[in-house]
Amino acid sequence: MAKTAAFGVMHVCTAFGVSYALTGSMTVAGAVTVVEPVVNMVGHYFFDKAWDKHMGHAPAAGQAASQP
């Protein structure tokens, strides 16, 4: 868990640093740093659903199949 937390902190710092370097604005960099992970999580959710539907993957062991 510590490694995951450290990676999360590194990701946030990197996102802020890159955004600030590109825009020169702390406000924009802060907004990107907050908004990007949220958009990424939502995108990942829908990506997983589409992947499972189109690639025909069964639910992982111990998970119930989703109902239509």
Side-chain angles (χ1 to χ4, degrees), residues 10-63:
M10 184 197 70
H11 176 80
V12 166
C13 292
T14 301
F16 183 85
V18 169
S19 299
Y20 182 72
L22 291 173
T23 66
S25 168
M26 291 188 75
T27 303
V28 172
V32 170
T33 299
V34 171
V35 171
E36 184 272 336
V38 173
V39 172
N40 202 14
M41 285 188 298
V42 171
H44 188 265
Y45 171 79
F46 287 108
F47 174 83
D48 275 350
K49 290 190 79 65
W51 182 273
D52 289 344
K53 180 178 181 178
H54 295 291
M55 299 304 285
H57 290 168
Q63 290 183 339

Side-chain angles (χ1 to χ4, degrees), residues 1-8:
M1 183 66 176
K3 183 178 179 182
T4 300
F7 180 79

